[in-house]
Every structure is written in C-alpha cells, then in structure tokens.
Amino acid sequence: MNIYKGWKAVLLLLAAVLLLAGCGSGNNENKIVAGKVNVVTSFYPLYEFAKEIGGEEAHVINLMPVGVEPHDWTPRSQEILNTSKAQLFLYNGAGLEGWLDSFLKGLGSDSKVKTVEVSQGITLISSGEEDGHQHGAGNDDHHDEDGQVHAEDEHNHDHGHIDPHTWVSPKSAMIMAENIKNSFIEVDPVHREQYEDRYEQLHARLQQLDAKFTEELAKTSRKEIVVSHQSFGYLCRDYGLTQHSIMGLTPEAEPKAQDLIHLSKLVKEEGIQYIFFEELVSDKLVSTLASEAGVKTLVLNPVEGLTKQQEQAGENYFTLMEKNLQNLVLALQ
C-alpha cells in the first residue's frame, strides 16, 4: 500500500512538472504583453530585425514555428486573434504570404493593428515562370523593360510571378530594416530615439555584410550557381551572379525531366563543381542531379527560417548569411 502511495505521489509530481513546462516561456512568448509595443511578424528575418530595432520597448511574436518551411504554412485562428490585438503586423509582401488576404480579413474591423508590407521600396524581380507555381495567386505584373517590378507600384497583395525572396540580399535587407524602424516610430513616437539608435546599429551591420559580399564575390572567377529552388534572385542581381534553379519559386514547383537534363548539361559545360541545397527542403532532387553530373553539394540558405538545431546553436540572419558567402566563394573559385 505504501509502495502504491509512493508511486502515486511520483506520478502526480511528474504530471505537475509537465503541466508547468507546458505553461512555460514558449507559450507566453506568443501572447500579447501589456505595456509593450506588440509586434507580429510573418516569418523569421522580419522577426529578427524587429527584435533588434524594437529592443526592450517591444514584444515580438513570430507567426512561423521553428523548422517550418514558409511555403507549407498557414496561420491558425489563435494567431489571427493575437495579431488583431497587436500594434504592428509586419509581413514581407511581394506574394510571399499566400494566406495574407484571408488573414487580414480575419483581423476584424475593430482591430487597430497597423499592417506594414516590409518589401515596399525594393525593386522587385519578375520571375518569368510559366508553370503557375508561385507563392500567391496569378496577377498581371507591373514591370519595367528589364523585367523588374517596383513595389511602390503594387496596390494589392497579389503579385503573380514575382520573386518574393527580397531579404536574401543584404541590400534589400537594409530597405526592409528601415521600413520596420519607420513603422515602430509611427505607432510609438515617444521612443523614436531608441528605435533610431538600434536601427543605426543594425543598418551598420547590414552595410558591413553588403560590403563583404560585394568584395568577396567580385573576386570569384565563376558567376553561375545551381540551386534547389529559385530563392536567390535578389542576391544574384545585387552581386553579379546568375542562378539556375531545379525547382521554381516554391519548393513544390516540381521540375520537368527535360529541365533536369538541361541543368545536368549546363553543370558539365560550365565546369560547375557544386550544387546548392537548403535545410528546410528535401535534398532528393539536388542529390540526384549532383550524382548524375558527378559534382558535390553545399548548403545555400535562403534564411526563410531556422531549424531547431540552428536556433539552439544561436544562429541568426548574419551567421547564416556569412556561411552562405563562404560556400558561394568555395563554389565559385
């Protein structure tokens, strides 16, 4: 009987510990906090920049869970409710968030949250895809003669075949950081000086990263890269590279057999030594192509989100972009 009581006490204690763990900081981080500027971000890079600029004045909630690929995710009702109570909702735009229109409608007419499209001011890239694979639904693109689209010319969230991966270039990231800073000041002008100071520190780091990409990639003899999905258009445009992708703008955009044959031929003709893959997407097609072409694989991270291992290791936008640069230099030398 005493043994039974002893085990019962242990089980009750274990249940209490598990219950407390379930109520820990992980859950509280996703709740609105009184006395702070509550900011909801649509995915990881915006979350990191908003935390840096917002500092102690802000409570930042990221909608995207760790280890989830953004193209596979849609928000739940609790996330819509949280956002409706926040002061700021920051989203990338350019068609990244295919769920955006229904999400914004779900916020309700009484919500005072300010919504900000962070890619505003970036000259967007028209992908030229013809297979219907993109982040949002189709729409007539407004673009200039070189196939580039100007974000300020767009008046809705439906960007058709626009490449949304703006943040992968430090040059674009600088514009995005400034947009985030301005949005903080608009909803909380009392702390303008603090937001300006922290933004300047972030901007300086992005400038240094930009200078490093410019200097290192200018030295490379090769300029062609083969990637798993079409995430690096802005990086390539800004630093003089050309990307050839196995898949389209989304990882679900499966290639045709003739596309793989063409890429295999290109790899051999150009003397390409490495094909790039990314952690949050299956590397099956990359491995197949690399094996067929007799080349190696390397990571090129579109920084759409962190894996659990990367989060635990303290990785961030800057460490991942530094690794991207190292791998690009290795592949292009």
Side-chain angles (χ1 to χ4, degrees):
M1 192 69 176
N2 288 338
I3 292 173
Y4 170 75
K5 285 182 178 176
W7 274 111
K8 189 176 180 182
V10 169
L11 289 170
L12 285 170
L13 180 62
L14 181 60
V17 168
L18 290 172
L19 182 64
L20 286 170
C23 299
S25 60
N27 287 346
N28 290 336
E29 284 177 5
N30 292 330
K31 292 179 179 174
I32 298 299
V33 175
K36 299 264 189 182
V37 176
N38 288 277
V39 183
V40 176
T41 59
S42 66
F43 77 127
Y44 173 71
L46 305 188
Y47 173 75
E48 182 176 331
F49 295 165
K51 276 184 75 74
E52 290 209 29
I53 295 168
E56 61 187 24
E57 279 75 41
H59 174 64
V60 186
I61 300 168
N62 191 31
L63 289 179
M64 197 74 57
V66 172
V68 173
E69 213 283 328
H71 308 79
D72 299 332
W73 182 86
T74 52
R76 298 166 301 180
S77 56
Q78 183 59 48
E79 288 147 347
I80 297 172
L81 182 63
N82 272 347
T83 305
S84 71
K85 297 176 182 176
Q87 284 74 51
L88 267 178
F89 171 52
L90 305 175
Y91 65 96
N92 186 75
L96 178 69
E97 299 90 352
W99 43 263
L100 183 69
D101 285 340
S102 57
F103 183 86
L104 293 178
K105 285 173 188 171
L107 296 177
S109 56
D110 57 341
S111 174
K112 294 181 171 62
V113 64
K114 177 179 174 58
T115 62
V116 178
E117 185 173 14
V118 176
S119 64
Q120 282 291 319
I122 296 170
T123 301
L124 301 176
I125 296 172
S126 178
S127 77
E129 281 192 6
E130 297 176 357
D131 58 6
H133 294 291
Q134 69 272 352
H135 298 248
N139 183 49
D140 289 335
D141 302 337
H142 305 284
H143 52 81
D144 56 24
E145 291 177 359
D146 60 2
Q148 295 179 345
V149 180
H150 300 277
E152 54 271 25
D153 294 336
E154 298 290 341
H155 299 294
N156 56 42
H157 308 300
D158 194 354
H159 293 262
H161 300 294
I162 304 305
D163 183 350
H165 303 88
T166 52
W167 64 92
V168 188
S169 166
K171 289 186 191 298
S172 295
M174 283 189 269
I175 296 171
M176 297 169 77
E178 184 173 14
N179 288 339
I180 292 171
K181 178 259 297 181
N182 291 340
S183 68
F184 268 111
I185 292 169
E186 195 165 335
V187 298
D188 183 27
V190 173
H191 296 105
R192 180 188 190 108
E193 189 175 336
Q194 289 93 325
Y195 298 135
E196 291 276 9
D197 287 347
R198 288 189 290 258
Y199 159 73
E200 289 299 338
Q201 292 172 30
L202 175 60
H203 181 72
R205 292 173 69 199
L206 288 168
Q207 275 188 318
Q208 289 172 357
L209 189 64
D210 170 43
K212 199 168 182 181
F213 265 79
T214 301
E215 182 181 349
E216 294 296 322
L217 293 176
K219 297 174 187 172
T220 60
S221 55
R222 302 177 189 274
K223 303 297 177 186
E224 311 270 338
I225 61 172
V226 176
V227 298
S228 57
H229 100 271
Q230 196 175 326
S231 306
F232 303 95
Y234 295 90
L235 187 148
C236 289
R237 178 184 70 185
D238 291 342
Y239 303 102
L241 305 179
T242 300
Q243 74 171 340
H244 303 278
S245 63
I246 298 172
M247 292 165 277
L249 287 174
T250 68
E252 297 82 29
E254 291 283 338
K256 301 182 182 82
Q258 67 217 47
D259 297 331
L260 291 173
I261 293 167
H262 170 75
L263 277 174
S264 180
K265 186 179 177 185
L266 174 83
V267 167
K268 291 169 183 173
E269 286 177 353
E270 295 289 333
I272 290 168
Q273 299 299 310
Y274 294 90
I275 296 174
F276 291 107
F277 70 97
E278 53 196 78
E279 292 101 326
L280 293 178
V281 176
S282 168
D283 65 348
K284 187 172 70 173
L285 281 171
V286 172
S287 299
T288 301
L289 180 59
S291 176
E292 161 66 24
V295 298
K296 300 173 186 174
T297 60
L298 271 176
V299 171
L300 194 60
N301 196 321
V303 203
E304 294 177 335
L306 300 179
T307 64
K308 287 181 181 176
Q309 292 83 358
Q310 287 167 342
E311 184 183 55
Q312 289 164 0
E315 299 275 18
N316 58 43
Y317 178 86
F318 290 93
T319 62
L320 295 178
M321 288 297 289
E322 288 276 3
K323 288 177 181 176
N324 278 347
L325 179 57
Q326 290 169 13
N327 286 350
L328 281 169
V329 169
L330 174 61
L332 294 170
Q333 62 189 1

